[in-house]
Amino acid sequence: MRLPDLEAWAIFACVVEHKSFSGAADAIGLSKATVSKAITRLEAQLGTGLFHRTSRRLALTESGRTLADHAQRILAEARAAEEAANDGAAALAGRVRVSAPMSFGLAHVAPLLARFLAEHDRIEIELDLSDAVTDIVAEGFDIALRIGSLPDSSLRARRLGPVAMHIIAAPAYLARYGRPTHAGQLGEHRLLGYTNASGPLHLRGPGGAEVAVRFAGPLGANSGEAILPALRAGLGIAVLPDFIIARDIAAGTVEPILTDWHSTPIGLHLMTPPGTLRPARVEALISFLTEEIRRQCPPEPRIDSARLVD
């Protein structure tokens, strides 16, 4: 039986991460020629090319994109196995890469990470804040916090709690354009849209009535925070999560409308790459974030139907 070339798989994962042969070579302390030979060897064993190579650009082939996920898992599992063999205290050291949505990350994740680092001075955290959909395996993230429904994938997920959504408008907008009394009237109003949302927003109201609304109007943005100035100025109606809009509601700069209509429940999830073997520092941060965020979240309105919960 021929054993897999684990070294070549690990080198392939490093090339994908650093997007170049020379970058991977520098990161792992090998010559560029050694890295190139390992990739050539792996391509020969697999019977397919992994990269399109030119003098200026290195790009994954279709096969390479498919296999990159496997390579990242192999490398991550090997690193975790080595760290698991170390002394437990010593393993609570090193870097953890975390991805989170921009607004939620600033308001809730960053303060928690400061507390965690104060207790673990040998751990380093790299926090990436973005509302864009990120491939956490390809980008090398250990933990990702995601809000919304989960796509079908091999990622592991644990639900931390529900996210309350509000349909809101400023008093000035309602005074000028009127207050809608039925979700079906939203299409007649000026709407402020969140462009990262895919498809229309489905609302359910009294008596089981359902309405689909596409939020497209004078302003669309890929950040909920970017919608706030226009919302406060009375330029339109928006649907935003509680963690973005709660202070404005409390201050009276905006107010909830159509409160008997609700969107499909969405949740906050903590995502990790496939596999159960993780470094101790990653497990420590997962446990900390899970406990602290669940404490802050409101009670669950329903049982989560996520594909995989650990």
Side-chain angles (χ1 to χ4, degrees), residues 218-230:
L219 176 66
N222 63 356
S223 166
E225 294 279 357
I227 295 174
L228 287 178

Side-chain angles (χ1 to χ4, degrees), residues 257-292:
I257 61 173
L258 298 172
T259 54
D260 52 352
W261 288 82
H262 304 281
S263 62
T264 302
I266 61 174
L268 170 64
H269 299 85
L270 187 148
M271 316 287 293
T272 55
T276 57
L277 188 59
R278 293 184 282 258
R281 63 180 181 273
V282 176
E283 288 287 5
L285 183 54
I286 289 173
S287 297
F288 177 81
L289 290 175
T290 298
E291 180 180 353
E292 293 300 322

Side-chain angles (χ1 to χ4, degrees), residues 147-219:
I147 294 173
S149 59
L150 295 180
D152 186 23
S153 76
S154 60
L155 299 177
R156 299 187 67 84
R158 65 178 68 184
R159 185 178 173 96
L160 303 184
V163 176
M165 302 294 291
H166 301 280
I167 308 172
I168 63 275
Y173 177 88
L174 299 175
R176 181 177 180 183
Y177 295 100
R179 180 186 298 269
T181 58
H182 189 283
Q185 298 171 348
L186 287 174
E188 304 167 11
H189 282 262
R190 297 166 62 84
L191 306 179
L192 307 175
Y194 180 61
T195 56
N196 273 355
S198 58
L201 177 69
H202 294 273
L203 298 171
R204 178 172 294 179
E210 295 187 18
V211 172
V213 182
R214 188 174 296 277
F215 274 67
L219 176 66

Side-chain angles (χ1 to χ4, degrees), residues 55-301:
S55 58
R56 295 184 179 182
R57 188 168 180 265
L58 182 70
L60 285 166
T61 63
E62 186 64 31
S63 295
R65 282 192 294 272
T66 301
L67 295 171
D69 183 41
H70 295 282
Q72 294 286 353
R73 290 188 224 171
I74 290 169
L75 181 58
E77 290 281 357
R79 285 172 172 167
E82 288 183 348
E83 293 190 19
N86 294 332
D87 177 74
L92 288 176
R95 186 177 67 162
V96 182
R97 302 192 69 225
V98 180
S99 172
M102 178 67 72
S103 300
F104 183 81
L106 289 171
H108 296 282
V109 180
L112 290 178
L113 294 183
R115 287 175 47 197
F116 180 82
L117 289 172
E119 299 174 7
H120 303 281
D121 58 3
R122 298 183 62 195
I123 293 179
E124 301 171 0
I125 296 176
E126 179 184 332
L127 176 62
D128 182 88
L129 298 178
S130 173
D131 288 336
V133 178
T134 302
D135 184 334
I136 70 172
V137 174
E139 297 295 327
F141 287 105
D142 300 294
I143 300 169
L145 293 162
R146 292 288 178 264
I147 294 173
S149 59
L150 295 180
D152 186 23
S153 76
S154 60
L155 299 177
R156 299 187 67 84
R158 65 178 68 184
R159 185 178 173 96
L160 303 184
V163 176
M165 302 294 291
H166 301 280
I167 308 172
I168 63 275
Y173 177 88
L174 299 175
R176 181 177 180 183
Y177 295 100
R179 180 186 298 269
T181 58
H182 189 283
Q185 298 171 348
L186 287 174
E188 304 167 11
H189 282 262
R190 297 166 62 84
L191 306 179
L192 307 175
Y194 180 61
T195 56
N196 273 355
S198 58
L201 177 69
H202 294 273
L203 298 171
R204 178 172 294 179
E210 295 187 18
V211 172
V213 182
R214 188 174 296 277
F215 274 67
L219 176 66
N222 63 356
S223 166
E225 294 279 357
I227 295 174
L228 287 178
L231 181 66
R232 293 166 182 152
L235 300 181
I237 296 173
V239 176
L240 290 173
D242 191 67
F243 62 84
I244 290 180
I245 203 64
R247 290 184 180 179
D248 281 86
I249 292 176
T253 53
V254 302
E255 60 182 276
I257 61 173
L258 298 172
T259 54
D260 52 352
W261 288 82
H262 304 281
S263 62
T264 302
I266 61 174
L268 170 64
H269 299 85
L270 187 148
M271 316 287 293
T272 55
T276 57
L277 188 59
R278 293 184 282 258
R281 63 180 181 273
V282 176
E283 288 287 5
L285 183 54
I286 289 173
S287 297
F288 177 81
L289 290 175
T290 298
E291 180 180 353
E292 293 300 322
I293 293 176
R294 279 179 173 165
R295 182 180 297 136
Q296 298 175 16
C297 284
E300 285 280 7

Side-chain angles (χ1 to χ4, degrees), residues 19-42:
K19 298 180 176 62
S20 75
F21 281 26
S22 54
D26 291 341
I28 58 182
L30 297 175
S31 68
K32 183 178 177 181
T34 300
V35 169
S36 179
K37 288 178 182 177
I39 297 301
T40 300
R41 188 170 71 242
L42 184 59

